[in-house]
Amino acid sequence: MTSTTRTASAAELEAAFQQELTTDRWTAAETAYALALLLRDAGAWDTSREWVRQCLQLLEGFPSDTEEQVATRRISVGGVPLPTYLHEGVVRERFGELA
């Protein structure tokens, strides 16, 4: 059985990010990660790099001493899968030179 769930567009995720940025910075960091991944996979390297930087900047404001502190709240954002844990090391490992 295949999934019929549509992956959100970059524009849809960007709109969600802008709203989240004012209400929940952690959720915004998750969405920035999803945008970076979506755009990287689409070959939009420069734009992906911008979202990686945005994600890293948002993550700087959160503690990362325990797994509970870095555990993602969602499995995916707009159909884009998130890692179980989100912190600088994960972002840098997943995006390599884009980070």
Side-chain angles (χ1 to χ4, degrees):
M1 177 180 242
T2 60
S3 173
T4 58
T5 304
R6 177 184 71 82
T7 301
S9 69
E12 290 169 322
L13 289 179
E14 286 182 41
F17 172 83
Q18 292 302 326
Q19 182 178 13
E20 294 162 356
L21 196 56
T22 63
T23 60
D24 186 339
R25 292 183 71 235
W26 179 262
T27 301
E30 290 180 348
T31 301
Y33 177 93
L35 270 159
L37 185 60
L38 180 73
L39 291 163
R40 182 196 69 188
D41 290 352
W45 306 109
D46 291 338
T47 310
S48 176
R49 181 177 288 116
E50 291 173 24
W51 285 106
V52 168
R53 288 183 188 144
Q54 182 69 52
C55 181
L56 289 170
Q57 182 179 6
L58 286 167
L59 290 174
E60 284 178 9
F62 293 99
S64 59
D65 299 323
T66 67
E67 286 182 354
E68 184 177 274
Q69 291 172 327
V70 296
T72 52
R73 297 179 190 161
R74 302 176 282 179
I75 295 170
S76 67
V77 174
V80 179
L82 293 177
T84 304
Y85 302 107
L86 186 58
H87 56 80
E88 179 183 359
V90 168
V91 175
R92 293 194 184 283
E93 178 182 314
R94 302 266 172 108
F95 289 96
E97 65 183 49
L98 288 178

